[in-house]
Amino acid sequence: PTANETILWRALCSEDSPIAGLDCQYDISSMEGVSLMVIRGGVATGRLLGGNLAVLAGMLGTPFEIETVGRILFLEDVSERLYRIDRYLSQLRLAGKLNSLSGVLLGSFSYDDGDQAEKQSDVAALMTEFFSPLGVPVLAGFPAGHERINVTLPIGGLIKLDADAGRVTRLEASVLRH
């Protein structure tokens, strides 16, 4: 199986499934082309929420906007110009959604073929500008988003983010049995 498939099955299995006992830690160390960046070190525990940055910013002011207090925020996007990423992050900050986070996990900010791509160093600098001052662990470059390697994350699940070690650990079963 591919790395994506293995991680998907790990994310979906309950603790007492036939393949229980699998490590609940996302091991991305052997994934080719993955380069993690620690924006701010540290360890945080919290419920993971988030997803596509443009969609999350668009939901502000609606009954579906995210509640971020005490949570680990995951963000990714595809084919967004740097000025729009800046605008979406500014919207989240002005709406108070970056206050009181436990941590931040940044996925891929990638570009479809034919789209004008931003320099990844410019995207990284923008992320550092927004997230470093928050005083919480921030790990960037996690292989989740719109790339070939797209790790399944337990949105809503309890995780531990260890930015120093470049590690994300699922702390509870993603699928509950009745």
Side-chain angles (χ1 to χ4, degrees):
T2 66
N4 286 344
E5 186 178 7
T6 300
I7 291 173
L8 171 66
W9 283 112
R10 286 182 181 173
L12 292 177
C13 291
S14 64
E15 299 302 326
D16 59 349
S17 73
I19 58 173
L22 287 172
D23 190 356
C24 294
Q25 188 177 87
Y26 288 84
D27 181 10
I28 60 170
S29 59
S30 63
M31 291 183 179
E32 189 176 319
V34 173
S35 179
L36 297 175
M37 178 181 140
V38 177
I39 291 177
R40 186 169 175 91
V43 178
T45 300
R47 297 229 171 256
L48 183 67
L49 79 140
N52 182 272
L53 175 59
V55 172
L56 294 174
M59 291 190 313
L60 292 175
T62 75
F64 306 104
E65 76 178 23
I66 56 174
E67 178 51 56
T68 59
V69 175
R71 307 281 169 70
I72 296 175
L73 179 63
F74 168 70
L75 297 174
E76 60 80 27
D77 217 318
V78 62
S79 295
E80 289 291 355
R81 300 301 311 272
L82 195 62
Y83 75 89
R84 289 195 300 243
I85 295 170
D86 180 57
R87 180 176 61 215
Y88 298 142
L89 290 173
S90 293
Q91 279 183 275
L92 290 175
R93 181 171 55 197
L94 291 169
K97 298 301 178 182
L98 302 184
N99 301 339
S100 303
L101 290 170
S102 290
V104 179
L105 181 63
L106 298 170
S108 62
F109 284 77
S110 59
Y111 296 86
D112 287 331
D113 291 339
D115 287 342
Q116 183 176 350
E118 300 289 353
K119 291 181 190 173
Q120 286 301 307
S121 60
D122 291 343
V123 175
L126 182 63
M127 296 302 168
T128 300
E129 177 186 327
F130 271 90
F131 295 111
S132 185
L134 299 181
V136 300
V138 182
L139 182 63
F142 196 81
H146 290 83
E147 288 288 313
R148 182 181 62 80
I149 300 175
N150 186 11
V151 172
T152 303
L153 289 171
I155 300 295
L158 188 63
I159 68 163
K160 177 180 173 185
L161 170 64
D162 185 339
D164 297 315
R167 196 174 302 140
V168 175
T169 306
R170 180 177 53 115
L171 298 178
E172 64 185 5
S174 297
V175 178
L176 303 176
R177 295 185 69 151
H178 295 284

